Amino acid sequence: MTINVLVTAGGTTEKIDNVRGITNFSTGTLGSLIADAFASQDAVDVDYVHGLGSKMPVSDTIVATQIESVDDLLRVIKEKLTSKTYDVVVHAMAVSDYYLVGSIGEQELTKQLFSDESSLDSVNFVDKLNESFDKVQSVGKLGSDMSTLYMQLKETPKVIREIKKLQPTTKLVGFKLLVDVSEEKLVSVAESLMEKNDCDYVLANDKSLIKEGQHIGLLVSSDGNIQRFNTKESIAEGIAVELMKENRK
C-alpha cells in the first residue's frame, strides 16, 4: 500500500507592488529534510508545496509545487486535498499572518485625511483612514521618493484550519515557533495549537535555540507523548518514523 504525504515548507510572500513583498526568514530547510525523510521510505509518494526561494528536497521522486501568497497556498492546498487522499500532511510552512490591502505615501494620506474642515474624532478617524486607502489605485511599482510609506494590513485566513475540514482522517503535523521560552511553555502552546487546529502532532521549537548544527524541537502528540530532538536532521527523521509507524499500524 502506498502512503501519500503532503509537506509544506518555506514562507509565503505578500506583494507590496510588483517588485517588493512582505515575507519572513523561513528557508524551508527543515521542510525539505522532512520531505526527503519520507521519500526515503518504501512505498511513499511525497508532494512538496514550497514558497519562493525555499530549499528544495534532494529526492527526484518528490513532486514540487511553488506558491507565493497565502491565497496561492490556500488554493493549492484545496486543489490537492480534494483531488488526492493524503495519509499525512506536514504543514511546516511559515505562513504570513497579514496581507497588504493598500499603501499610501505620507503626503497623499495627509491630503486625504484633511481634505475638508470636519474634525477627526476617534470614531470617524479609522473610517476616514480606510477611505484614504480605498481611494489610492494600485500601481505596478511604488515610487522610491516617499520619505514615509503607510501600509494597511489585514489578517490572512488560517490555512491549517482547512486541512482537517477537507480530509478529516489525515494525520496532521503542525509547527509552532516561539522565542526564548521554557520547554514547559513550548509544550503548553503546542497542546493549545493541537486543540485549535485539530492537529495530531505539533513540532514546537524555540528560535533562540536554533543555530548552526543545532535545532531543538519537541514533537508533541495528541496523546501527550513528547519526543525531543536536537538537530534538523533528527527532527525530520523522527517525524517520518513516527508518522510511518502510525500509518502502518
Side-chain angles (χ1 to χ4, degrees):
M1 181 185 72
T2 299
I3 292 176
N4 295 319
V5 177
L6 173 62
V7 178
T8 69
T12 56
T13 301
E14 300 300 323
K15 280 187 173 181
I16 295 174
D17 60 18
N18 286 344
V19 298
R20 302 179 181 92
I22 301 171
T23 186
N24 53 60
F25 299 123
S26 177
T27 64
T29 300
L30 180 55
S32 71
L33 291 170
I34 293 169
D36 276 324
F38 276 106
S40 68
Q41 306 287 322
D42 293 332
V44 177
D45 285 343
V46 180
D47 288 334
Y48 184 69
V49 178
H50 63 95
L52 299 174
S54 298
K55 181 79 171 177
M56 298 300 293
V58 174
S59 174
D60 58 6
T61 65
I62 295 172
V63 178
T65 304
Q66 180 175 281
I67 61 91
E68 183 174 346
S69 66
V70 176
D71 278 348
D72 290 340
L73 174 62
L74 190 57
R75 173 182 53 80
V76 169
I77 289 292
K78 286 182 176 179
E79 287 174 356
K80 289 187 177 294
L81 293 180
T82 54
S83 63
K84 183 176 179 179
T85 299
Y86 289 94
D87 302 284
V88 177
V89 177
V90 181
H91 187 43
M93 180 172 279
V95 180
S96 302
D97 293 314
Y98 299 94
Y99 70 95
L100 183 76
V101 177
S103 56
I104 187 171
E106 184 175 21
Q107 185 175 1
E108 180 62 24
L109 179 61
T110 302
K111 177 182 175 183
Q112 296 287 349
L113 287 175
F114 302 101
S115 58
D116 56 50
E117 296 180 357
S118 61
S119 62
L120 290 176
D121 59 33
S122 59
V123 175
N124 67 23
F125 176 78
V126 173
D127 290 338
K128 190 77 171 178
L129 186 61
N130 287 332
E131 288 175 8
S132 298
F133 280 105
D134 289 341
K135 288 178 182 178
V136 178
Q137 299 297 314
S138 60
V139 295
K141 180 180 182 298
L142 292 168
S144 58
D145 56 348
M146 290 178 286
S147 60
T148 305
L149 178 68
Y150 295 92
M151 293 185 290
Q152 184 183 40
L153 305 176
K154 288 192 176 179
E155 188 177 16
T156 57
K158 300 301 182 186
V159 176
I160 193 170
R161 294 178 187 169
E162 300 301 313
I163 295 172
K164 280 293 189 83
K165 291 178 184 177
L166 294 167
Q167 289 202 16
T169 61
T170 193
K171 293 294 183 181
L172 174 60
V173 183
F175 279 64
K176 187 63 179 180
L177 180 67
L178 298 176
V179 180
D180 198 20
V181 299
S182 66
E183 289 199 358
E184 290 78 11
K185 179 66 173 179
L186 280 175
V187 172
S188 173
V189 172
E191 290 172 342
S192 176
L193 189 69
M194 270 190 288
E195 183 176 356
K196 186 183 298 183
N197 298 320
D198 200 13
C199 298
D200 299 281
Y201 297 85
V202 170
L203 192 285
N205 44 177
D206 185 332
K207 193 175 187 301
S208 65
L209 300 177
I210 301 173
K211 57 186 179 182
E212 186 68 31
Q214 174 184 288
H215 189 134
I216 308 298
L218 303 178
L219 183 62
V220 184
S221 67
S222 56
D223 62 7
N225 186 45
I226 301 171
Q227 299 180 57
R228 190 179 194 277
F229 303 103
N230 297 318
T231 65
K232 285 181 171 62
E233 291 78 9
S234 63
I235 291 172
E237 186 66 23
I239 289 174
V241 168
E242 179 68 20
L243 272 295
M244 292 299 291
K245 181 175 66 178
E246 279 284 310
N247 278 281
R248 287 178 171 160
K249 282 182 178 179

